[in-house]
């Protein structure tokens, strides 16, 4: 496929699009299907590359995956088996999800091979929390040039851990391992993102016993067997926010079908403070949605800090920054989740935005990066007239923001590396076309 798109900016986006199940739940629910002894059925799965990668890995391990109507995937894990290392390695570097196969594979076949991980280049992205949790459960981890080999000669046993930081992936690792480990696991300082709560719902449907306590404590009673599940995932609130900001940055009006208010309250507050308008449509049974629009007049500068849930999601930051280039005054952004998630702003500066990055913490949320010399705060001075430019997609969310900037800009932009967007945004080009964006292949 042609990897370069030409965007003719300046047209407000108008119309309706629909989001499906959240990428960051769907991929984990697919891994959970490995743990069951019966068929699982996941509804409303988006057709994106992360899903293809996980499907490929499941199939290599003997899980039969079939497609039903309307984005339904069915997993039959009756014959889980060891996969060939070379075949697994075809998926090396393509996603972070393979690390979550450790616990389920150890439970099912006593061995796991994990290829080198990929995912967006937004920081160092170590897996130290994952490995120390797996070792606590009793796993032996051997590093080899091609990846990680794990075994559990004495089985996996529940334990008490405290995460150094409420990592989403490490919390999922513990959940997917503890549900079938012997005894009780108590996880402190756990992440409690809505996608994690939805994964807990999936596991509960399978027969797991998991309780979420106050102060980020999750307690899991291991059970010897799990069955399958049938699940409709929470909608992709990261994608919803991306389209909401597209409406704001282009002076448009976009109805996002299937968007849900409950998991987006922090985003909606910021959207309103900046000057965006929204209306929640939940008057009918069925999917409903949220309409987002620019109500006219000037947008307002704001100060914001990203944080773990219930704070402002790090994945909401990049599209908001594009909208903030159009707000009057000085906006301040403090990124506290990933140390290098402001690199995408270089392209915005090239397009005419005024953005200065700082190593200092410009905010009061406790942060691990202030002392470590990372450019993780930004001051945005607006409003700026953006103009078209030649751009290269750096990562998934940063890349979407480049599109937003190109759509809001005057003139034409050429965007390279567009295929990366297909990792996390289903039918990206078709949705742009449905909203009236003037985009064509080079
Ligand atoms: C998940 O990444 C999401 N990815 C990310 O979305 C999201 O930005 C992130 O959670 C935060 O919400 C998926 O769900 C596939 P973390 P994850 O472990 O699990 C540090 C997108 O675009 N850390 O919560 O990898 C880490 O470096 C993606 O959809 C360690 O130090 O994130 C980071 O600073 C991008 N050691 C912080 O924790 C570890 O072992 C949070 O990472 C693990 C993490």
């Amino acid at each position: 496929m042609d990897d370069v798109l030409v965007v003719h900016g300046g047209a407000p986006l108008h119309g309706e699009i629909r989001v499906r199940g959240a990428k960051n739940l769907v991929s984990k629910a697919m891994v959970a299907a490995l743990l069951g002894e019966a068929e699982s059925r996941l509804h409303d799965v988006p057709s994106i590359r992360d899903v293809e990668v996980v499907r490929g890995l499941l199939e290599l391990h003997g899980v039969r995956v079939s497609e039903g109507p309307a984005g339904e995937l069915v997993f039959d894990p009756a014959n889980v088996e060891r996969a060939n290392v070379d075949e697994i390695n075809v998926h090396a570097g393509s996603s972070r999800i393979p690390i979550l196969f450790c616990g389920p594979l150890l439970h099912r076949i006593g061995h796991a091979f994990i290829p080198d991980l990929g995912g967006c280049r937004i920081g160092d992205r170590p897996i130290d929390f994952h490995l120390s949790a797996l070792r606590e459960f009793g796993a032996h981890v051997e590093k080899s040039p091609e990846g990680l080999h794990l075994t559990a000669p004495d089985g996996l046993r529940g334990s008490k851990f405290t995460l150094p930081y409420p990592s989403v992936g490490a919390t999922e690792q513990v959940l997917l391992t503890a549900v079938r480990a012997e005894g009780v696991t108590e996880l402190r300082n756990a992440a409690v993102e809505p996608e994690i709560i939805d994964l807990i719902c999936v596991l509960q449907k399978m027969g797991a016993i998991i309780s979420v306590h106050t102060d980020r404590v999750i307690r899991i009673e291991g059970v010897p067997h799990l069955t399958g599940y049938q699940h409709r995932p929470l909608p992709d609130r990261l994608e919803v926010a991306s389209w909401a900001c597209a409406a704001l940055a282009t002076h448009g009006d976009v109805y996002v079908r299937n968007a849900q208010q409950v998991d987006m309250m922090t985003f909606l507050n910021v959207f309103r403070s900046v000057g965006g308008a929204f209306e929640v449509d939940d008057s009918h049974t069925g999917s409903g949605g949220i309409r987002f629009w620019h109500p006219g007049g000037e947008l307002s500068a704001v100060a914001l800090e990203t944080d773990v849930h219930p704070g402002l999601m790090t994945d909401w930051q990049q599209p908001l920054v594009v909208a903030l280039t159009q707000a009057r005054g000085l906006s301040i952004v403090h990124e506290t989740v990933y140390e290098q998630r402001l690199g995408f702003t270089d392209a915005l500066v090239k397009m005419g935005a005024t953005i200065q990055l700082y190593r200092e913490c410009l905010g009061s949320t406790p942060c691990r990066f202030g002392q470590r010399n990372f450019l993780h705060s930004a001051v945005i001075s607006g409003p700026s007239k953006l103009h078209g430019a030649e751009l290269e997609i750096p990562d998934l969310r940063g890349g979407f923001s480049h599109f937003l900037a190109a759509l809001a800009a005057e003139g034409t932009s050429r965007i390279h590396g567009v295929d990366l967007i297909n990792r996390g945004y289903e039918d990206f080009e078709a949705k742009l076309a449905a909203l009236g964006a003037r985009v064509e292949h080079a």
Side-chain angles (χ1 to χ4, degrees), residues 138-159:
H140 289 191
V141 184
E142 222 176 275
K143 293 186 184 171
S144 72
E146 73 265 28
L148 298 174
H149 289 272
L150 291 97
T151 51
D154 304 319
L156 297 167
R157 290 172 312 280
S159 185

Side-chain angles (χ1 to χ4, degrees), residues 12-15 240-256 267-268 270-281 289-299 323 435:
L13 297 191
H14 277 278
V240 175
S242 302
W243 294 114
C245 291
L248 195 56
T250 66
H251 282 249
D253 188 332
V254 176
Y255 180 83
V256 186
F267 173 83
L268 293 173
V270 174
F271 192 80
R272 180 168 279 160
S273 310
V274 175
F278 65 88
E279 186 176 48
V280 178
D281 165 23
I290 305 180
R291 176 186 163 211
F292 298 94
W293 74 98
H294 190 310
E298 284 204 321
L299 300 182
L435 296 176

Side-chain angles (χ1 to χ4, degrees), residues 57-85:
L57 282 170
L58 287 172
E59 286 173 337
L60 283 177
H61 287 95
V63 177
R64 286 215 347 253
V65 184
S66 49
E67 287 168 34
E72 184 180 300
L73 284 184
V74 183
F75 309 95
D76 176 359
N79 298 306
V80 177
E81 59 191 17
R82 240 170 122 145
N84 177 292
V85 166

Side-chain angles (χ1 to χ4, degrees), residues 161-162 166 186-192 212-218:
F161 324 98
T162 302
E186 193 177 281
L187 180 63
R188 297 187 168 270
N189 207 25
V192 289
V212 181
H213 299 258
T214 48
D215 297 336
R216 300 189 174 279
V217 176
I218 300 182

Side-chain angles (χ1 to χ4, degrees), residues 23-24 28 96-97 120 122 125-130 165-170 172 193 238 313-315 337-339 341 368-369 396-397:
K23 162 177 100 66
N24 291 347
K28 325 306 172 54
R96 311 275 306 161
I97 312 296
C120 291
I122 50 181
R125 304 195 78 180
I127 50 166
D128 50 337
F129 305 165
H130 294 251
Y165 182 80
S167 149
V168 169
E172 292 160 344
E193 267 60 12
L238 280 56
M313 281 206 80
T314 169
D315 302 81
V337 180
Y338 286 108
E339 64 273 31
R341 224 173 179 184
R368 298 157 294 151
F369 312 136
L396 185 59
R397 308 294 166 195

